[in-house]
């Protein structure tokens, strides 16, 4: 593949709601550009970007895929991203290294939640946007409603550049408003045609809006506009480019990915209006790993090399690929680069340009371009690789918190090691996967972004690593404690010929008032009734006792234990005997001191649009939550609440359902507090059944 200077590169993240036609549009662009002889179809599993077995099986994009396309002496690095929210990790990675976003809207479905999310992701990274409304060949498409919805959400920056030409309600072409020329679809190409009569009322407002936007980009153009002078096409296109790059203009183009209509115009618009890496990122700033000082990284091939790994592909058969964007310099085969995050040197043996699953080996990747390293073992997503003479750490990829979780149970006993190895490989590929060992409940907890994400992890384990698992509801880490003060005697006496065993303690147990601490031990023994050398044995007896309470076998917390008195035998007493005597005293005291079950309470922050606030508060109340307050945040409400963690299982799915995926939340453990009687009875009954 030809090497392109950064001025001729466009790094474009393709974003939109799940099922809106992103992959079909990318496939159409590849076909129009001559990459394929026959356009692939999502339904057939034959597209360039959906090549993973899970994607083919399910007919949806799960991973971000790179599809470089050469068009009009430029290279379009299209990053086709998943639209389903469970796979947002790959979207975040793609947007992190893109210089612009192509937001696809289905004409049949209109503006959806995924459209809003796409705008959000692009705005977070401050990259310009172009909107493409596909499915215009569907007679039910209402372009005006889509434009109205976009303007209501994003204001006057929305600028439609094309007005559809319809004959008998069928979409047969469009008017290119900046050029004031007609375009008619003829079989597999587009022909120029006159602007049809009777379209002035439609075209006039659109043309006026574009000219106003053009005038606002420059004072000289503003004077020309007010003087009633016509702009040249070059002035219009230059001003549009400036407006797009400044993010004051969001062009809206129309067509159909399925029928290849409007695709050529779209690609030309991406080349013409979207920023090149050097233009958008004249420089970015990283930090010196030693001092934390800012380091300027210019998009210049003469500078030392700097690259960011934004995605990892792990496959048992083809090995590991690390996709990277070069921010400065040139990365060549046989270069030795510093991995700033891992603090080790990496030798580059093979460099590829990936086009879907196709691997095109190249000798070098220049500043502004995207490539892939093969088989770099110690390189992970988010790592910065750079020339040793200029160490710099670039900002990595910011992933959403993974809050959907289930416990992993092997289908076949003895597969634990294979499962751990498989999950480790999948975590390299997808940083939104997390595995936590719950030693207390002897469970391995698998975390993901949503239930579909977890389901696909299980499917990948089976397909790629030949190991089967079941996912079940995890156990909640309850605790046990006491509510009143008691004094008991614990005596362990055993005679078995020869030396016997004798330990005798009188102890006082009372609530500590601190459920973060298991127990506090004190001794107030007078007169040597229990020799000092047995005190550590009594404390050790306590350490073992609090591991398991008598109500449901959960760990015990919040107890103060005081050794008051006791007795000993000069021959038969031992540390073991006093430890066992303490355990007897503990059990006796626990049953007398009003034992109770404690449940973990989480601090929950839910961020939702105002319209959903009532539903969310009602749902939190059903979960026995206490709403502590609300905080308005730019058109949304942040609801602060405390909720029992046992009631939060499955909340990520429920919240998505209640808010049409517009809500998000975070959760962290706060403290333990006494569970209601009915909860205690249910938990104890379930625990008894397990045993």
């Amino acid at each position: 593949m030809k090497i392109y200077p950064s001025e001729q590169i466009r790094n474009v993240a393709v974003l939109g709601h799940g099922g809106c036609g992103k992959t079909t549009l990318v496939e159409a662009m590849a076909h129009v550009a001559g990459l394929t002889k026959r356009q692939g179809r999502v339904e057939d599993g034959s597209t360039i970007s959906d090549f993973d077995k899970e994607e083919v099986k399910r007919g949806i994009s799960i991973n971000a895929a790179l599809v470089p396309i050469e068009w009009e002496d430029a290279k379009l690095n299209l990053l086709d991203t998943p639209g389903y929210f469970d796979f947002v990790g790959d979207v975040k990675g793609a947007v992190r290294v893109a210089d612009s976003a192509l937001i696809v809207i289905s004409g049949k479905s209109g503006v959806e939640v995924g459209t809003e999310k796409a705008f959000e992701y692009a705005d977070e990274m401050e990259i310009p946007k172009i909107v493409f409304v596909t499915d215009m060949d569907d007679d039910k498409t209402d372009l005006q409603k889509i434009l109205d919805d976009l303007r209501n959400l994003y204001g006057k920056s929305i600028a439609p550049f094309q007005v559809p030409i319809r004959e008998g309600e069928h979409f047969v072409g469009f008017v290119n408003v900046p050029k004031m020329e007609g375009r008619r679809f003829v079989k597999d190409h587009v022909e120029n045609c006159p602007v049809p009569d009777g379209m002035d009322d439609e075209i006039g407002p659109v043309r006026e809006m574009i000219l106003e936007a053009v005038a606002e980009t420059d004072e000289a153009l503003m004077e020309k506009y007010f003087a009633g002078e016509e702009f040249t096409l070059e002035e219009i296109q230059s001003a549009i480019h400036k407006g797009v790059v400044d993010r004051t203009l969001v062009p809206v183009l129309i067509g159909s990915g399925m029928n290849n209509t409007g695709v050529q115009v779209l690609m030309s618009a991406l080349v013409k209006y979207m920023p090149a890496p050097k233009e958008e990122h004249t420089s970015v700033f990283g930090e010196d790993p030693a001092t934390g000082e800012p380091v300027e990284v210019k998009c210049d091939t003469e500078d030392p090399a700097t690259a960011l790994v934004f995605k990892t592909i792990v496959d048992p058969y083809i090995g590991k690929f690390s996709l990277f964007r070069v921010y400065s310099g040139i990365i060549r085969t046989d270069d030795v680069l510093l991995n700033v995050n891992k603090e080790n040197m990496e030798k580059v043996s093979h460099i590829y340009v990936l086009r879907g699953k196709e691997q095109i080996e190249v000798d070098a990747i220049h500043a502004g371009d995207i490539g892939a390293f093969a088989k770099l073992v110690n390189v992970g997503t988010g790592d910065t690789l750079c020339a040793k003479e200029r160490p710099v750490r670039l900002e990595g990829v910011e992933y959403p918190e993974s809050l959907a979780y289930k416990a992993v149970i092997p289908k076949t006993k003895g597969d634990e090691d294979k499962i751990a190895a498989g999950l480790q490989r999948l975590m390299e590929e997808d940083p939104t996967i997390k595995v936590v060992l719950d030693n207390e409940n002897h469970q391995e907890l698998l975390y993901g972004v949503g239930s579909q994400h977890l389901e696909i992890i299980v499917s990948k384990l089976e397909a790629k690593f030949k190991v089967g698992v079941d996912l079940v509801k995890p156990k909640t880490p309850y605790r046990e404690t006491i509510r009143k003060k008691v004094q008991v005697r614990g005596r362990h006496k055993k005679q078995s010929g020869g030396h016997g065993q004798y330990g005798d303690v009188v102890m006082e147990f009372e609530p500590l008032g601190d459920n973060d601490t298991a127990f506090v031990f004190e001794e107030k023994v007078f007169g040597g009734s229990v020799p000092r050398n047995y005190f550590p044995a009594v404390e050790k007896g306590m350490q073992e006792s609090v591991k398991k309470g008598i109500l449901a076998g959960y760990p015990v917390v919040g107890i103060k234990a005081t050794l008051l008195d006791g007795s000993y035998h000069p021959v038969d007493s031992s540390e073991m005997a006093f430890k066992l005597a303490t355990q007897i005293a503990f059990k006796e005291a626990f049953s007398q001191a009003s034992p109770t079950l404690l449940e973990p309470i989480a601090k929950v922050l839910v961020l939702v649009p105002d319209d959903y606030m009532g539903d969310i508060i009602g749902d939190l109340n059903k979960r026995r939550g206490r709403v502590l307050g609300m905080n308005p945040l730019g058109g949304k409400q942040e609801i602060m609440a405390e909720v029992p963690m046992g009631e939060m299982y499955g909340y990520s799915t429920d919240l998505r359902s209640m808010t049409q995926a517009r809500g998000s939340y975070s959760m962290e453990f706060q403290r333990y507090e006494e569970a209601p009687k009915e909860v205690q009875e249910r938990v104890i009954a379930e625990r008894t059944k397990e045993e």
Side-chain angles (χ1 to χ4, degrees):
M1 182 177 272
K2 178 183 164 186
I3 291 173
Y4 286 83
S6 66
E7 293 84 359
Q8 291 170 257
I9 293 169
R10 305 289 183 270
N11 295 315
V12 185
V14 185
L15 310 174
H17 194 82
C20 71
K22 297 182 297 299
T23 298
T24 300
L25 180 60
V26 170
E27 191 69 19
M29 292 161 85
H31 182 60
V32 168
L35 289 185
T36 58
K37 290 181 181 175
R38 183 171 173 271
Q39 186 171 327
R41 288 165 51 88
V42 171
E43 297 82 354
D44 301 337
S46 55
T47 62
I48 295 171
S49 45
D50 283 359
F51 58 87
D52 185 276
K53 285 180 182 175
E54 287 296 321
E55 294 176 314
V56 172
K57 182 170 83 175
R58 296 167 190 269
I60 61 170
S61 296
I62 293 169
N63 309 298
L66 176 65
V67 182
I69 293 174
E70 293 171 291
W71 184 256
E72 293 182 353
D73 294 324
K75 182 184 183 188
L76 298 172
N77 282 324
L78 300 176
L79 291 153
D80 182 16
T81 67
Y84 291 89
F85 305 115
D86 282 19
F87 314 112
V88 66
D90 262 24
V91 181
K92 291 279 194 175
V95 176
R96 168 66 184 84
V97 296
D99 300 313
S100 56
L102 168 59
I103 298 175
V104 182
I105 298 176
S106 164
K108 292 183 281 189
S109 307
V111 175
E112 300 175 90
V113 182
T115 314
E116 296 173 32
K117 292 278 188 189
F119 270 82
E120 270 180 41
Y121 300 146
D123 289 342
E124 277 173 19
M125 296 307 297
E126 299 182 348
I127 58 175
K129 304 168 283 287
I130 279 183
V131 171
F132 185 79
V133 180
T134 188
D135 298 328
M136 285 297 297
D137 49 327
D138 190 292
D139 295 344
K140 293 176 185 173
T141 293
D142 186 346
L143 180 62
Q144 193 54 52
K145 184 180 185 309
I146 291 171
L147 293 172
D148 290 344
D149 289 345
L150 286 172
R151 282 203 192 98
N152 288 336
L153 286 166
Y154 308 111
K156 64 178 184 179
S157 65
I158 300 300
F161 279 19
Q162 296 162 346
V163 174
I165 300 172
R166 294 187 183 276
E167 289 179 1
E169 294 303 308
H170 295 303
F171 176 56
V172 296
F174 58 83
V175 177
N176 182 325
V177 180
K179 289 186 176 180
M180 285 304 292
E181 294 174 355
R183 301 281 189 270
R184 182 176 286 274
F185 305 128
V186 180
K187 291 186 179 176
D188 58 350
H189 66 283
V190 179
E191 288 183 359
N192 289 356
C193 70
V195 176
D197 294 335
M199 291 190 68
D200 291 351
D201 289 347
E202 284 183 81
I203 297 169
V206 175
R207 173 84 174 167
E208 193 58 32
M209 188 189 63
I210 291 172
L211 295 178
E212 278 182 27
V214 166
E216 286 176 8
T217 62
D218 186 274
E219 280 187 25
L221 293 178
M222 183 69 82
E223 287 176 18
K224 200 171 177 180
Y225 175 72
F226 283 125
E229 296 178 41
E230 287 288 320
F231 295 140
T232 66
L233 180 61
E234 191 179 335
E235 284 174 333
I236 291 173
Q237 290 181 338
S238 174
I240 289 170
H241 175 77
K242 184 176 186 300
V244 170
V245 172
D246 291 346
R247 297 166 53 232
T248 56
L249 211 58
V250 181
V252 180
L253 308 182
I254 58 176
S256 167
M258 188 65 76
N259 292 334
N260 281 352
T261 50
V263 173
Q264 291 181 22
V265 178
L266 170 63
M267 289 195 287
S268 299
L270 293 175
V271 173
K272 203 176 294 172
Y273 300 134
M274 289 306 207
K278 195 161 190 173
E279 178 184 354
E280 171 66 6
H281 299 288
T282 305
S283 60
V284 296
F285 283 88
E287 65 172 24
D288 186 309
T291 65
E293 292 294 312
V295 177
E296 188 176 12
V297 179
K298 292 181 181 176
C299 185
D300 192 326
T301 53
E302 300 300 316
D303 277 18
T306 312
L308 176 72
V309 175
F310 67 94
K311 178 174 171 58
T312 304
I313 299 171
V314 179
D315 190 282
Y317 306 108
I318 63 171
K320 176 178 171 180
F321 287 95
S322 305
L323 274 73
F324 64 92
R325 152 99 187 244
V326 182
Y327 280 88
S328 66
I330 301 173
I331 291 182
R332 298 180 174 88
T333 305
D334 295 330
D335 277 357
V336 178
L337 300 172
L338 170 66
N339 182 337
V340 179
N341 301 67
K342 305 285 194 317
E343 297 183 348
N344 65 293
M345 303 303 293
E346 291 279 357
K347 183 170 182 187
V348 178
S349 53
H350 295 283
I351 302 175
Y352 295 90
V353 170
L354 298 186
R355 182 178 283 138
K357 65 180 175 183
E358 184 188 358
Q359 301 142 28
I360 306 159
E361 188 157 8
V362 294
D363 295 327
I365 300 285
H366 288 229
D369 211 347
I370 293 173
F373 298 120
K375 298 176 183 176
L376 294 188
V377 179
N378 294 317
V379 172
T381 302
D383 287 355
T384 302
L385 298 176
C386 61
K388 191 178 180 182
E389 65 266 25
R390 189 188 66 178
V392 56
R393 183 189 292 113
L394 296 173
E395 185 183 341
V397 183
E398 192 176 317
Y399 293 103
E401 194 176 352
S402 299
L403 292 165
Y405 63 100
K406 287 192 175 184
V408 178
I409 309 291
K411 280 187 176 176
T412 307
K413 221 172 181 182
D415 273 355
E416 287 81 2
D417 289 346
K418 282 169 74 178
I419 292 168
L423 286 173
Q424 187 59 46
R425 300 289 294 278
L426 291 178
M427 281 191 284
E428 284 182 54
E429 196 172 59
D430 182 355
T432 60
I433 300 172
K434 192 170 67 173
V435 176
V436 175
L437 292 174
D438 179 0
N439 293 320
E440 177 188 321
N441 290 310
H442 309 294
Q443 287 188 317
E444 189 172 54
L445 303 180
L446 177 63
Y447 283 77
V449 177
S451 54
Q452 192 176 27
H453 189 204
L454 296 177
E455 185 187 313
I456 281 172
I457 295 167
V458 170
S459 195
K460 282 188 173 183
L461 277 175
E462 197 160 342
K464 288 188 173 186
F465 304 101
K466 311 300 179 203
V467 62
V469 301
D470 289 318
L471 297 181
V472 299
K473 183 178 178 179
K475 296 172 184 173
T476 303
Y478 293 100
R479 295 287 184 266
E480 299 182 25
T481 194
I482 57 174
R483 286 179 291 187
K484 69 180 188 183
K485 186 175 184 177
V486 294
Q487 185 174 312
V488 296
R489 170 167 242 123
R491 179 179 287 163
H492 173 69
K493 185 178 181 182
K494 193 172 183 183
Q495 198 68 40
S496 55
H499 279 312
Q501 294 179 32
Y502 184 85
D504 177 33
V505 292
V506 175
M507 298 183 73
E508 185 177 78
F509 294 86
E510 61 187 305
L512 179 62
D514 175 12
N515 291 332
D516 292 334
T517 304
F519 74 96
V520 168
F521 173 68
E522 284 186 6
E523 53 79 21
K524 292 182 180 175
V525 177
F526 296 100
S529 55
V530 177
R532 185 167 293 279
N533 58 310
Y534 291 130
F535 292 171
V538 175
E539 187 169 4
K540 194 168 183 186
M542 278 299 301
Q543 285 171 354
E544 294 191 9
S545 296
V546 295
K547 289 177 183 175
K548 196 172 181 182
I550 64 167
L551 284 177
Y554 288 103
V556 175
V557 295
I559 287 185
K560 182 178 179 183
T562 308
L563 178 62
L564 301 174
D565 200 358
S567 60
Y568 75 101
H569 189 280
V571 176
D572 292 346
S573 285
S574 64
E575 286 191 4
M576 177 60 76
F578 271 94
K579 187 176 85 170
L580 293 171
T582 304
Q583 290 173 352
I584 292 166
F586 175 84
K587 285 180 183 171
E588 181 65 27
F590 208 83
S591 60
Q592 293 179 25
S594 293
T596 190
L597 206 62
L598 302 175
E599 62 181 353
I601 304 295
K603 179 185 176 184
V604 179
L605 297 176
V606 188
L607 188 65
V608 291
D610 294 342
D611 296 348
Y612 301 101
M613 202 167 64
D615 290 344
I616 298 304
I617 290 173
D619 180 71
L620 290 172
N621 288 334
K622 280 183 198 168
R623 296 173 189 269
R624 298 190 288 115
R626 290 187 291 271
V627 175
L628 304 177
M630 279 156 285
N631 184 23
L633 288 174
K636 292 188 176 183
Q637 288 283 347
E638 184 183 58
I639 301 167
M640 294 160 280
E642 289 183 345
V643 190
M645 286 179 75
E647 303 290 343
M648 289 298 290
Y649 176 71
Y651 188 64
S652 58
T653 304
D654 295 343
L655 178 65
R656 186 177 296 178
S657 174
M658 284 186 289
T659 64
Q660 295 180 294
R662 289 183 173 90
S664 60
Y665 80 106
S666 62
M667 180 174 84
E668 63 177 335
F669 169 75
Q670 194 78 353
R671 65 180 181 280
Y672 276 94
E673 64 179 45
E674 190 174 343
K677 188 180 177 185
E678 62 274 14
V679 173
Q680 296 199 37
E681 287 172 354
R682 174 176 53 80
V683 171
I684 291 168
E686 286 172 1
R687 198 75 160 177
T688 306
K689 196 186 290 184
E690 284 175 19
E691 292 171 1

